[in-house]
Amino acid sequence: MVKIFALKRCILIPALAFVLLVSGCSDADNGKISPNQDGAKAPPSAESDNGSRQGDSAVQVIDQQKALISRVMELARQGKVVNSQFAAEETVIDDVEKEWGRPEKTDYVPEAKGNFASYTGRGVVIGYNKGSQVFDIRSYDSELKKITLSGVRGVLGSPAHTSSYNNQDILGYTAGDKFKIRFVFPRSTTDTTDPALDHVSVFYPRGTVNSMSEDPGLEW
């Protein structure tokens, strides 16, 4: 009996080992991967994916603002604004009226040294002197609302001129040899520390000079 039991034991142990070996190979062949297998990676979480998309969107907005500010400055060097074909210095008010018709209203502004014709439907105000020369073009185009105070400083650096007027903060930069540009923002508050642009003004200072009355005109 002892010999028979020992013989059975000798047969069962190798058989059991063989079964386990075959089972392991079968799992591997079927592509089953152990949860603890080295190299297994968890899928990215929804939170990390959303964070990545938000980061990309923020970068895109910043890039768009930089491009818009650069475009505004390039036009300013030509005496122009984004939604007007007219250039300061070279244009007289009659040229504007031939193309756009009569303005909705015209106001004389003594401290600004001229008349200002408002084309409200176009989002443009045209300033001209006694000789009808256009010296100031202001754009209120909705696209400009994408520009922020910090964005202007970030792209153009420290302004050559700053001032405050009628609850507005103004940043002034030179635009070539003849023109200047003023970025006009609502005044910053505790609730709005980085306001969006209200309008830009492309300005030709020499157009405000009146030699006959010895008026040196405006620098800004």
Side-chain angles (χ1 to χ4, degrees):
M1 289 294 292
V2 174
K3 290 182 179 180
I4 294 173
F5 177 79
L7 180 60
K8 289 182 178 180
R9 183 178 179 185
C10 291
I11 294 172
L12 286 173
I13 290 174
L16 180 60
F18 177 78
V19 170
L20 292 174
L21 178 61
V22 171
S23 176
C25 292
S26 176
D27 285 347
D29 291 341
N30 290 332
K32 294 181 180 178
I33 300 175
S34 169
N36 296 324
Q37 183 175 341
D38 291 340
K41 296 182 180 179
S45 68
E47 290 183 1
S48 64
D49 193 37
N50 289 338
S52 177
R53 283 199 295 266
Q54 289 174 358
D56 291 343
S57 178
V59 170
Q60 187 177 19
V61 168
I62 292 171
D63 288 344
Q64 288 175 348
Q65 183 177 185
K66 287 180 179 179
L68 180 56
I69 292 170
S70 297
R71 179 181 163 210
V72 168
M73 280 300 297
E74 181 60 32
L75 287 170
R77 295 185 184 99
Q78 303 170 41
K80 298 179 179 181
V81 294
V82 292
N83 56 338
S84 167
Q85 69 268 39
F86 304 110
E89 183 196 16
E90 300 175 357
T91 305
V92 294
I93 192 62
D94 288 345
D95 297 332
V96 179
E97 292 185 358
K98 285 177 184 177
E99 294 289 330
W100 288 0
R102 300 282 294 176
E104 282 86 341
K105 68 172 184 174
T106 301
D107 298 305
Y108 177 68
V109 184
E111 60 269 27
K113 308 288 185 181
N115 292 289
F116 286 80
S118 298
Y119 288 88
T120 308
R122 295 179 178 272
V124 175
V125 175
I126 305 284
Y128 60 96
N129 58 27
K130 290 182 179 180
S132 296
Q133 181 188 41
V134 171
F135 67 87
D136 191 346
I137 305 178
R138 303 178 183 184
S139 175
Y140 294 80
D141 190 81
S142 59
E143 186 180 12
L144 298 176
K145 304 299 181 184
K146 298 175 183 177
I147 296 175
T148 62
L149 182 66
S150 65
V152 172
R153 286 184 175 274
V155 174
L156 302 180
S158 298
H161 169 80
T162 60
S163 62
S164 295
Y165 175 76
N166 196 25
N167 290 322
Q168 294 177 322
D169 291 327
I170 303 169
L171 305 183
Y173 295 85
T174 57
D177 297 330
K178 296 187 293 184
F179 304 108
K180 295 180 178 179
I181 182 170
R182 297 173 291 202
F183 293 85
V184 183
F185 295 89
R187 185 164 294 176
S188 301
T189 65
T190 53
D191 295 328
T192 308
T193 57
D194 191 22
L197 186 67
D198 182 72
H199 69 277
V200 294
S201 166
V202 173
F203 178 60
Y204 176 60
R206 293 178 191 171
T208 64
V209 175
N210 189 335
S211 300
M212 294 185 66
S213 61
E214 298 183 350
D215 185 347
L218 300 173
E219 184 178 358
W220 286 97

